[in-house]
Amino acid sequence: MNGPDERGYYGEFGGRFVPEVLVEPLRELEAAVTGAFADDGFWSEYKRLLRDYVGRPSPLFEAKNLARRSRGARIVLKREDCNHTGAHKILNTVGQGLLARRMGKRRIIAETGAGQHGVATATVGALLGMPVEVYMGAEDVERQSLNVYLMELLGARVRVVESGSRTLKDATNEAFRDWAATACETFYVIGSVVGAHPYPMLVRRFASTIGEEARVQCRQRFGRSPDHVVACVGGGSNAMGIFAGFIDDAQVRLWGVEAGGHGLERLGLHAASIGAGTVGVLHGARTLVLQDADGQIAPTHSISAGLDYPGVGPEHAHLARTGRARYVMITDDEARVSFERLARLEGIVPALESAHAVAFAERLAGTLPADAIVLVNLSGRGDKDAVRFALARAATAATA
Amino acid sequence: MNTSQVASVFERCAAENRAALIAYLMAGDPSLADMPALLEAAAAGGADIIELGIPYSDPLADGPTIQAAAQRSLRAGTTFDGVLAMIGTLDRNRVAVPIIAFTYFNPVFVRGVERTARGLAAAGFAGTIIPDLPPEEAGGTADAFASNGVALTFLVAPTTPSERIPMIAERSSGFVYVVSRMGVTGAGQTLDGSVAALVDRLRPLTDKPLAVGFGVSTPEHARAIAAYADGVIVGSALIDRLSSAADKPAAVRELCAALALASSRDQIK
């Protein structure tokens, strides 16, 4: 498998719906990607940085305490929280940073939701000596302030986005607008498997390190692939990354976990683009979108800024349509419970995004026999969420 | 109103030795009820074509001015059907110029391209511009618009390579929209100096009228563009003017009149 067709489509999803000014920059990027991906020198530098700088491979850890409580299958965590900068995002930004340098670009821009992609981009900018500007919604700046400080410490400029819903969608709009004005000298490092072709394909390629490693590690540890693979899905890059290792293995069930927020009863309360969305075009791709009947993009809600996005990568929409992967949702409250539980039972504080995957894995494991294996992508660590979690807990205690 | 109506405006303007003035307004800003007076004012001021924005929540090709206008319009409750109804009941004797819609692909796609084309035609729209729909993605849309007699105008940007231009111009109906600069819509202080060169690059590759937009704000800009292009498109400057004016129709009429005067080549010294 398994890439898009030559026009960037996965089945009916994908494509390149962008203003004319960006058509040629995307074609240049596609040509550069084709050249880089065929170049052993590019990959050897990428792999060297992953080993020496990012700390690959990431560990595979069996969460026996968590599994014991679920009274079912074995639960295994792919520890992307152990990466430099604390999340899987740096796999992608190292790759795109090397592409930017290869293309002779002098400036890097990015959008960020939770700030993890922003920090990972700022980090690579510092490493490669390129100036970085990161667009971040005003609401996210407030709820992920630690990452704002980190980005600034790393020398990046954080551009606060006040338009629209003041979250990831609007930060992405502003990054696209910046790129439309500056494409000749600027490389736009997209943070997920979203956007116009070739972005979903190239981001997946860099993220697929997760799945390739996990596949080998499972073979070595268990002598076989897992029965189930679980990952949270906002735009969906960590999920595509781990799915990539198992997608050709038809016995392995793939599960994407979307943010159920306060529940799916109505638009605005959740961010479940696959569970409750309809086909539309957002940020350059045809995909599943949360929108009203007039095609206006809906506001979204999730406790986790990184999942708070009204669209999803086109390949996920395709996997949902074909049934190769199944998509479920976990609410804010369920994610909070698993966030705390993983900390208490395993000594691992997950990102709130990843806590959605953990919560579903616990539920799934409880329905499975003891010899089944559930692999969870623990996409990032939760330092960024700890303060807000504590404050919310204190507030709850005060009103109880 | 149909495709040929847009083309005939450019023919008439060429015969009168002037560039066509294309004035952009956002439907529903400040409300749909205000639009007939604003459209009449634009026509009375001398707009040859009116480009009417149909608001979208995430307008990637627009700068802050038109983003804000779209937000005001959506907050006022504007819908696609509401815009069609408003144009469908407009007194076209008072707005006797072609009206073309400017919107984004998602509202068109979600509504259905055939249904959108039919609705626009029935309401009396002569054409449409969808800035995030490049020709490569526009196959079915272009067919639906053509069969309903609604022009679908494509854009050429400073980054567009010359080998792509004949294809875009061939598929563009009514005219070719020449994006004057890198970036998004928005009133500019100075006109990008490279736009004249871009128009020169286009001329040998197409016989269609070339209208220049993005960053065109003042009569001075219009005068400069009229010297080499067939149309002058002004949007954000009009929105800026009317959003701060007490008498909005008067503000639209006055700016359109000044731009129309500047678009006439007879007064170029």
Side-chain angles (χ1 to χ4, degrees):
Chain A
M1 145 132 230
N2 27 51
D5 68 18
E6 71 281 359
R7 295 177 58 234
Y9 278 86
Y10 304 86
E12 67 173 290
F13 301 107
R16 189 176 280 167
F17 296 85
V18 292
E20 173 63 26
V21 69
L22 290 177
V23 170
E24 187 60 18
L26 286 164
R27 286 154 61 124
E28 282 173 10
L29 174 61
E30 187 180 4
V33 166
T34 303
F37 284 9
D39 178 357
D40 291 341
F42 178 84
W43 289 116
S44 68
E45 178 160 27
Y46 179 68
K47 284 174 181 158
R48 181 183 64 76
L49 284 171
L50 290 199
R51 185 191 65 212
D52 300 343
Y53 188 67
V54 176
R56 306 299 301 191
S58 69
L60 195 72
F61 174 73
E62 183 164 5
K64 291 185 176 168
N65 300 330
L66 195 68
R68 196 172 302 122
R69 192 197 162 278
S70 301
R71 294 194 183 82
R74 302 168 78 170
I75 299 174
V76 180
L77 307 177
K78 179 62 174 165
R79 295 286 309 278
E80 295 304 308
D81 58 314
C82 294
N83 286 314
H84 179 43
T85 73
H88 73 100
K89 294 288 190 185
I90 196 155
L91 300 175
N92 175 40
T93 62
V94 167
Q96 290 199 52
L98 293 177
L99 279 175
R101 197 178 63 185
R102 186 183 173 96
M103 292 177 76
K105 301 294 182 185
R106 295 191 304 272
R107 171 178 176 261
I108 285 172
I109 58 170
E111 84 296 335
T112 196
Q116 292 300 112
H117 175 60
V119 169
T121 306
T123 298
V124 169
L127 178 69
L128 299 180
M130 293 173 88
V132 173
E133 288 184 47
V134 179
Y135 289 89
M136 187 168 185
E139 184 179 330
D140 294 335
V141 165
E142 188 201 323
R143 61 180 163 174
Q144 307 279 210
S145 55
L146 175 64
N147 278 338
V148 176
Y149 305 141
L150 283 172
M151 283 185 267
E152 287 170 347
L153 183 62
L154 290 160
R157 182 164 168 213
V158 178
R159 305 279 297 258
V160 181
V161 177
E162 298 282 356
S163 61
S165 61
R166 305 161 81 233
T167 60
L168 178 55
K169 164 183 82 91
D170 310 282
T172 307
N173 289 340
E174 282 307 314
F176 266 111
R177 290 180 184 120
D178 180 313
W179 201 39
T182 63
C184 297
E185 68 273 9
T186 298
F187 191 101
Y188 177 17
V189 176
I190 284 190
S192 192
V193 287
V194 301
H197 178 62
Y199 276 111
M201 175 270 281
L202 77 93
V203 175
R204 179 224 222 242
R205 182 70 185 80
F206 292 128
S208 67
T209 301
I210 303 168
E212 287 162 11
E213 284 177 8
R215 182 180 179 80
V216 171
Q217 288 167 320
C218 284
R219 281 279 146 94
Q220 288 168 349
R221 187 86 55 92
F222 309 110
R224 65 183 182 92
S225 284
D227 302 287
H228 299 265
V229 175
V230 179
C232 64
V233 176
S237 59
N238 91 80
M240 271 328 304
I242 198 159
F243 287 179
F246 304 97
I247 201 160
D248 292 332
D249 198 343
Q251 303 94 285
V252 180
R253 302 259 187 99
L254 308 176
W255 299 90
V257 184
E258 294 193 294
H262 299 308
L264 300 193
E265 290 77 39
R266 65 179 168 85
L267 277 178
L269 296 182
H270 61 82
S273 310
I274 294 175
T278 53
V279 181
V281 172
L282 180 65
H283 295 144
R286 181 188 295 190
T287 185
L288 289 165
V289 177
L290 292 168
Q291 57 189 336
D292 69 15
D294 229 21
Q296 308 295 346
I297 306 305
T300 52
H301 165 78
S302 169
I303 188 178
S304 79
L307 303 182
D308 203 352
Y309 181 69
V312 68
E315 191 171 6
H316 282 295
H318 178 60
L319 294 177
R321 183 59 52 94
T322 61
R324 176 63 191 93
R326 290 169 70 182
Y327 295 84
V328 294
M329 69 97 184
I330 285 291
T331 65
D332 285 356
D333 288 343
E334 291 169 319
R336 265 193 213 99
V337 169
S338 287
F339 176 84
E340 189 166 26
R341 188 142 60 216
L342 193 67
R344 293 290 174 85
L345 293 183
E346 302 288 359
I348 296 171
V349 179
L352 274 171
E353 290 77 9
S354 321
H356 287 70
V358 173
F360 178 73
E362 289 184 77
R363 186 198 296 170
L364 178 67
T367 67
L368 297 172
D371 61 345
I373 298 172
V374 177
L375 172 65
V376 183
N377 198 14
L378 199 76
S379 55
R381 66 176 176 239
D383 305 38
K384 68 187 177 60
D385 300 310
V387 170
R388 275 179 68 89
F389 184 83
L391 291 175
R393 237 171 146 248
T396 309
T399 56
Chain B
M1 295 284 172
N2 56 40
T3 305
S4 63
Q5 216 120 8
V6 177
S8 68
V9 166
F10 284 97
E11 283 168 23
R12 196 185 70 237
C13 290
E16 294 170 5
N17 197 29
R18 62 194 180 85
L21 174 62
I22 303 174
Y24 176 102
L25 295 169
M26 173 60 75
D29 175 34
S31 80
L32 279 180
D34 293 299
M35 294 317 292
L38 293 173
L39 295 166
E40 286 171 25
D48 297 292
I49 294 171
I50 296 173
E51 194 181 312
L52 187 66
I54 300 179
Y56 174 53
S57 55
D58 293 79
L60 267 193
D62 284 307
T65 296
I66 293 180
Q67 286 175 45
Q71 285 297 320
R72 288 193 296 268
S73 174
L74 289 171
R75 270 201 303 272
T78 304
T79 62
F80 211 104
D81 280 334
V83 176
L84 295 183
M86 183 270 294
I87 294 299
T89 55
L90 197 64
D91 181 351
R92 296 306 290 267
N93 292 316
R94 299 174 70 90
V95 188
V97 299
I99 300 175
I100 58 182
F102 183 104
T103 190
Y104 285 81
F105 189 54
N106 196 50
V108 172
F109 174 79
V110 168
R111 191 178 176 80
V113 291
E114 172 60 33
R115 181 173 162 232
T116 303
R118 216 174 331 119
L120 288 168
F125 279 92
T128 306
I129 298 164
I130 307 175
D132 60 342
L133 185 68
E136 288 86 346
E137 299 285 1
T141 309
D143 293 345
F145 278 66
S147 65
N148 281 283
V150 179
L152 184 61
T153 296
F154 290 108
L155 300 87
V156 167
T159 49
T160 306
S162 292
E163 57 270 23
R164 217 174 120 71
I165 289 172
M167 179 275 290
I168 295 173
E170 166 68 26
R171 298 193 196 180
S172 190
S173 53
F175 62 100
V176 177
Y177 192 131
V178 182
V179 176
S180 78
R181 61 171 190 207
M182 299 292 288
V184 294
T185 63
Q189 293 293 312
T190 56
L191 204 56
D192 196 307
S194 62
V195 64
L198 178 57
V199 170
D200 283 347
R201 188 153 66 89
L202 280 157
R203 282 293 182 203
L205 301 172
T206 179
D207 295 329
K208 291 193 174 140
L210 305 176
V212 174
F214 282 41
V216 183
S217 313
T218 65
E220 289 67 37
H221 296 164
R223 190 171 294 121
I225 290 167
Y228 50 79
D230 310 302
V232 176
I233 308 171
V234 179
S236 296
L238 266 168
I239 308 281
D240 283 338
R241 182 73 72 89
L242 80 86
S243 63
S244 62
D247 185 344
K248 295 181 194 300
V252 168
R253 193 173 53 245
E254 283 161 22
L255 182 53
C256 284
L259 291 164
L261 184 65
S263 300
S264 171
R265 298 185 193 104
D266 289 338
Q267 50 91 56
I268 297 173
K269 303 205 171 65

